[in-house]
Amino acid sequence: MEGSLLVDSAAASLGATPAARRRRARFLSCPCSASSDAPATRAWTSYSSACKMPRTVKPVSRVNGWRNGGNGHGWATAREESSSVLEALEDEYGGVVVDAHRLPSGTGEFARSLAASLSYWKSAGKKGVWLKLPLDRSEFIPLAVKEGFRYHHAEESYLMLTYWIPDEPCLLPANASHQVGVGGFVINDQMEVLVVQEKYSASSSLGAWKLPTGFIHAVRSQTIRRIPGAVREVKEETGVDTEFMELIAFRHAHNVAFQKSDLFFICLLRPLSNEIKIDEAEIQAAKWMPLREFMEQPLVQEDHMFRKISDICVQRLRRRYRGLTAHRVVSKFDAGASTLYYSVAEHDRGYLS
């Protein structure tokens, strides 16, 4: 490829004016996202099969040991007919979510309450049971497993277990199956690409210069577009401030880290600063590398995926390829704002904005 072609067309793209550069489970989706330190009386957020659907659950009138408002929601109370039943939220799918903030304090009491609760829930025709055990209640885990609970997933501060009551195939959704990664293709007005050498890398890429990459962490409410996200990863690794321009491409692979599937997004970023200050815990070195030199690296030329990613980025610079831009949208379906990525031709931008 000729460097002049890259320089001429890319410069036209990046040298534009600032204004021009500016998830189905049928039964119950996992309720584990509720904060472990939220008050027990706070509304519990359950999830619909297609997307997050917040539903406010408030204590209502008590009927036969359950607070039942006739709408499928209510807090189970252990103070009336069945004093051993664990406090739990009755969900709209015919299941229950045990209140992690009101668990018994001792193992003996917990074992008795759990057995009594299962018996009660079975007689009441309930289906799935979600049991969230905080880290400081880890001694309850073997007791729950002995009763037939199974591991669903674990986080830093808790373990989620499930129990399926009906004598039929379990309809509880599986744990999350994907991890999300992001890479930043940052190129400046001198046609130099921001590249890094990782301190810890596979032998096949040892000493190679690559794009800054990292994981999107759900616990930090990260997005691909905004800080934190692709922009954050570049900033953390290299110290360079950037601006999101487009989502260029993404890769989908199965059975990667921890046997999870992997989604890896490549973003085109425009640098807002040039000074490099590396994260010495993860990065060996970072620098601005001429685009042609980056493209000619063995890592890029001999690896089909890296070569294709680089080719796509170059074609974008030549204006022969259009990526996906980020648009903030609000839907009544999930009752919240999100980011929708799609491609819009220049003459359609006003119509679709």
Side-chain angles (χ1 to χ4, degrees):
M1 92 185 44
E2 294 296 331
S4 59
L5 290 175
L6 296 176
V7 172
D8 293 342
S9 56
S13 175
L14 294 172
T17 63
R21 298 187 298 216
R22 304 272 163 239
R23 155 196 128 144
R24 150 176 155 132
R26 291 173 52 203
F27 181 71
L28 171 70
S29 293
C30 178
C32 57
S33 62
S35 173
S36 62
D37 57 358
T41 55
R42 183 173 298 173
W44 189 282
T45 302
S46 64
Y47 288 68
S48 74
S49 47
C51 62
K52 289 188 289 187
M53 297 288 287
R55 298 176 176 87
T56 300
V57 181
K58 298 180 180 179
V60 289
S61 60
R62 302 179 183 181
V63 179
N64 296 328
W66 288 79
R67 299 175 183 174
N68 194 338
N71 60 357
H73 295 297
W75 282 103
T77 181
R79 302 296 181 263
E80 295 180 359
E81 289 190 2
S82 182
S83 60
S84 295
V85 173
L86 294 170
E87 301 239 7
L89 169 69
E90 181 181 5
D91 66 57
E92 66 182 80
Y93 300 93
V96 293
V97 181
V98 178
D99 183 2
H101 303 282
R102 299 186 179 182
L103 295 172
S105 59
T107 56
E109 184 183 356
F110 174 77
R112 290 189 296 272
S113 294
L114 188 59
S117 298
L118 289 174
S119 177
Y120 179 79
W121 294 330
K122 289 176 182 178
S123 66
K126 300 306 170 186
K127 296 182 178 180
V129 181
W130 296 89
L131 176 61
K132 180 179 180 180
L133 295 181
L135 190 61
D136 61 359
R137 291 291 186 269
S138 59
E139 69 273 16
F140 293 171
I141 296 173
L143 303 175
V145 172
K146 185 177 180 179
E147 284 291 348
F149 279 81
R150 295 185 177 185
Y151 294 162
H152 187 270
H153 69 274
E155 291 292 346
E156 197 173 89
S157 61
Y158 70 86
L159 174 69
M160 181 67 76
L161 301 97
T162 60
Y163 188 103
W164 181 250
I165 297 176
D167 187 17
E168 59 186 45
C170 178
L171 297 180
L172 295 175
N175 184 28
S177 60
H178 284 68
Q179 62 181 9
V180 179
V182 64
F185 186 85
V186 187
I187 186 164
N188 62 21
D189 293 335
Q190 288 73 50
M191 292 300 102
E192 297 173 321
V193 183
L194 182 62
V195 294
V196 300
Q197 281 185 339
E198 294 182 338
K199 182 167 291 188
Y200 309 100
S201 60
S203 57
S204 59
S205 59
L206 196 63
W209 294 95
K210 58 181 288 293
L211 302 179
T213 60
F215 289 108
I216 300 290
H217 300 289
V219 294
R220 299 182 187 175
S221 301
Q222 294 185 13
T223 65
I224 296 169
R225 173 191 181 190
R226 299 175 181 271
I227 293 177
V231 171
R232 182 193 65 85
E233 290 298 335
V234 172
K235 177 67 174 178
E236 286 189 354
E237 292 192 359
T238 69
V240 175
D241 294 307
T242 60
E243 177 183 54
F244 176 91
M245 295 180 67
E246 291 181 356
L247 174 59
I248 297 298
F250 70 91
R251 182 209 61 170
H252 188 203
H254 294 294
N255 199 27
V256 188
F258 309 108
Q259 290 75 55
K260 298 292 185 181
S261 296
D262 180 85
L263 286 167
F264 179 64
F265 294 86
I266 301 295
C267 302
L268 178 64
L269 306 177
R270 183 175 69 88
L272 300 177
S273 64
N274 291 304
E275 184 180 358
I276 294 175
K277 186 176 181 180
I278 66 171
D279 175 8
E280 297 183 355
E282 297 184 22
I283 303 302
Q284 183 69 37
K287 67 178 182 179
W288 292 99
M289 175 182 283
L291 178 58
R292 186 167 186 173
E293 183 180 343
F294 171 76
M295 294 290 294
E296 291 175 349
Q297 288 187 104
L299 175 68
V300 174
Q301 292 299 314
E302 297 172 6
D303 186 284
H304 183 260
M305 183 185 73
F306 286 137
R307 185 174 71 251
K308 193 64 179 178
I309 289 173
S310 300
D311 286 344
I312 292 172
C313 290
V314 168
Q315 293 306 314
R316 173 60 187 92
L317 295 177
R318 292 178 175 179
R319 296 193 175 216
R320 296 177 182 174
Y321 175 90
R322 179 172 296 280
L324 309 179
T325 53
H327 304 265
R328 295 288 289 175
V329 295
V330 177
S331 171
K332 292 182 179 180
F333 189 63
D334 58 14
S338 58
T339 304
L340 182 67
Y341 296 84
Y342 56 89
S343 177
V344 180
E346 291 296 333
H347 61 273
D348 289 333
R349 288 187 182 275
Y351 175 73
L352 293 176
S353 61

